[in-house]
Amino acid sequence: MPLGPASRCRTIEIPTIQDSRGNISILEGAEILPFTVKRVYVLHNLVENQDRGSHAHKKLHQIITVTTGSLVVNLDDGLSKKSFKLDKPTIALYLCPMVWRTLTDIAANTTAFVLASEMYDENDYFRVYEDFYAAALGKAHS
Ligand code: TYD
């Protein structure tokens, strides 16, 4: 069975410096940041268990991590599905293009931040699963 892009999505351990005053987690360098960041956005004031996402991006690369709380990122590339729980700011998830993602199991007081490879572009979204699925299967068989 061919591997889809979800196989390239992976957790990243964020190097963290700890001392008696607290911790600093640092995202830098190509190992940790596999793309040039053009946009940063923060998900905050999230409503507990109110799912978000439910879309895919055509070209966008992203890294998501939570600073407080927890959530589950569910991935589907049309060929396979997998889920990652994010619950600490020392672990991030790299999301590559052409992966349908849904954020579920959002705990109370969760704050997440997202690093993105491009500025916001509505044309980069698939918002209808069937459209995404047809494009994903087309790519898998081309
Ligand atoms: P969206 O990416 O659809 O997030 P979710 O799937 O979690 O709802 O974004 C929600 C809205 O915010 C949508 O109208 C697009 C807008 N938006 C921007 O204008 N700029 C951005 O950088 C982002 C991430 C969203």
Side-chain angles (χ1 to χ4, degrees):
M1 176 144 154
L3 288 177
S7 63
R8 296 200 297 276
C9 297
R10 58 187 168 87
T11 52
I12 297 168
E13 208 164 314
I14 305 175
T16 297
I17 297 170
Q18 306 184 17
D19 66 33
S20 58
R21 301 163 301 166
N23 303 342
I24 303 178
S25 297
I26 305 138
L27 292 115
E28 67 176 351
E31 268 297 300
I32 305 288
L33 278 181
F35 53 83
T36 300
V37 177
K38 292 199 184 154
R39 176 166 54 114
V40 178
Y41 60 92
V42 180
L43 302 172
H44 54 103
N45 209 19
L46 295 172
V47 179
E48 186 177 6
N49 286 325
Q50 191 85 68
D51 296 353
R52 297 201 63 114
S54 292
H55 61 248
H57 286 282
K58 296 172 188 170
K59 298 211 170 123
L60 193 70
H61 298 256
Q62 290 168 297
I63 287 176
I64 178 168
T65 187
V66 299
T67 48
T68 57
S70 64
L71 52 78
V72 175
V73 185
N74 303 278
L75 304 179
D76 173 358
D77 62 15
L79 295 170
S80 65
K81 297 181 182 186
K82 54 187 182 177
S83 298
F84 296 90
K85 181 167 184 172
L86 298 177
D87 60 2
K88 45 182 171 262
T90 54
I91 297 286
L93 178 65
Y94 165 61
L95 296 168
C96 50
M98 291 305 289
V99 176
W100 188 267
R101 80 285 307 271
T102 309
L103 308 184
T104 64
D105 303 275
I106 298 174
N109 297 318
T110 296
T111 301
F113 75 86
V114 182
L115 310 179
S117 64
E118 300 298 334
M119 290 180 51
Y120 174 74
D121 176 7
E122 185 60 33
N123 292 322
D124 187 63
Y125 282 73
F126 283 106
R127 291 202 183 268
V128 175
Y129 183 83
E130 288 69 24
D131 297 345
F132 159 73
Y133 187 72
L137 287 200
K139 272 196 199 299
H141 294 130
S142 63

